Amino acid sequence: MAEEGERLQKVLAALGFGSRRACEVLIAEGRVVVNGTVAVLGARVQPETDQVTVDGAPVGVRPGLVHYLVNKPRGVVTTASDPQGRPTVVELVPDEPRVFPVGRLDLDTEGLILLTNDGTLANAIAHPSTGVEKEYLVEVHGGRVSPSGLRHLREGVELEDGRTAPARVTQPSPGVLRITIHEGRNRQVRRMCSAVGHEVRRLVRVRIGPISDRRLAPGDWRELLSDEVIALGQAVAASGYAQPT
Ligand code: URA
């Protein structure tokens, strides 16, 4: 039977506790506790069920680190400050501590974006090699996308910066697509749809890796739960992202 969960040192490394090797040392020194028991090397964790602490502090709620999930409305820019004076996502969350957006959504794109002061996790999620999935609901102009259009989107379309990686694409109703990608190129979903002859009418990001929230209203934010932070670390670790040492 396949072993469940991710290796503890990979998860800790993705959460910024150091390189995998450094995290193995943390474990070997007995400083990591899973569900009340000192962890051994090779232990695996499940974010939904396992409580992990390092030096007694719950992982994911390291002092001073904040992780906000924001539902960005249309017309709000993703940068920290905008020379044109447009509203920014950073203005939607508390001023202190200072946080920055993880990746970006276009001005006209709506939906979920993370803001954090946790540089390690932010780099890992935003890094193109991580493969953390992002799922979008897309309304396109021009009605139903043809089977060959869907096949192209799934298999990869040629864009000026290269062919897109395979994507998961369904059409829950005519002209509405659910697209899951793990690359994060500029205006990628809009350019993919345009490449198969459908301009985007509305684009909403509904999931980032394991994180989704249908009840978060546009313009609202909430802090990630610690098991969501761990799950994000796991998603990064599972995607093969190598933490810089
Ligand atoms: N793809 C886009 O085209 N725009 C976004 O904002 C995000 C993904």
Side-chain angles (χ1 to χ4, degrees):
M1 196 177 84
E3 287 187 275
E4 301 204 345
E6 259 328 307
R7 280 189 187 276
L8 185 53
Q9 67 267 31
K10 273 177 90 177
V11 174
L12 292 174
L15 288 170
F17 284 89
S19 67
R20 280 193 206 165
R21 182 75 199 105
C23 292
E24 284 173 4
V25 172
L26 279 181
I27 297 167
E29 288 175 347
R31 294 164 61 188
V32 185
V33 170
V34 178
N35 301 329
T37 304
V38 174
V40 291
L41 273 177
R44 291 175 180 262
V45 282
Q46 300 261 34
E48 297 81 15
T49 47
D50 293 333
Q51 302 287 329
V52 181
T53 62
V54 175
D55 294 335
V59 162
V61 286
R62 279 182 291 150
L65 288 188
V66 293
H67 306 84
Y68 300 127
L69 180 67
V70 177
N71 186 348
K72 180 183 114 49
R74 207 179 184 128
V76 170
V77 292
T78 304
T79 47
S81 74
D82 183 53
Q84 296 174 47
R86 293 171 296 188
T88 72
V89 275
V90 172
E91 290 162 8
L92 295 171
V93 299
D95 290 342
E96 293 293 334
R98 280 175 74 93
V99 290
F100 47 88
V102 179
R104 64 184 291 281
L105 293 177
D106 302 333
L107 183 67
D108 286 340
T109 303
E110 304 157 57
L112 300 180
I113 183 156
L114 295 168
L115 275 74
T116 185
N117 57 354
D118 183 344
T120 310
L121 188 61
N123 286 340
I125 295 167
H127 198 278
S129 73
T130 56
V132 172
E133 289 184 347
K134 286 111 188 167
E135 184 176 327
Y136 297 87
L137 264 182
V138 195
E139 272 176 44
V140 294
H141 288 284
R144 181 191 292 276
V145 179
S146 67
S148 93
L150 292 176
R151 184 165 47 78
H152 274 107
L153 289 172
R154 287 184 186 125
E155 291 177 356
V157 293
E158 277 313 326
L159 301 179
E160 68 235 14
D161 50 355
R163 195 183 172 88
T164 57
R168 277 209 303 284
V169 182
T170 58
Q171 185 161 220
S173 59
V176 176
L177 304 178
R178 192 175 277 276
I179 300 185
T180 304
I181 58 174
H182 54 76
E183 299 172 291
R185 301 198 220 163
N186 194 26
R187 299 179 73 80
Q188 179 164 342
V189 174
R190 291 174 195 277
R191 292 190 292 138
M192 286 169 67
C193 293
S194 181
V196 296
H198 292 266
E199 296 303 319
V200 167
R201 185 202 301 271
R202 185 168 180 217
L203 181 56
V204 185
R205 182 152 73 186
V206 294
R207 185 169 65 82
I208 304 165
I211 311 296
S212 60
D213 188 336
R214 289 180 183 206
R215 284 184 299 217
L216 194 65
D220 277 359
W221 62 274
R222 69 169 173 86
E223 283 208 51
L224 289 186
L225 305 170
S226 61
D227 61 3
E228 290 177 313
V229 178
I230 296 172
L232 263 178
Q234 265 201 324
V236 169
S239 73
Y241 176 71
Q243 195 67 45
T245 47

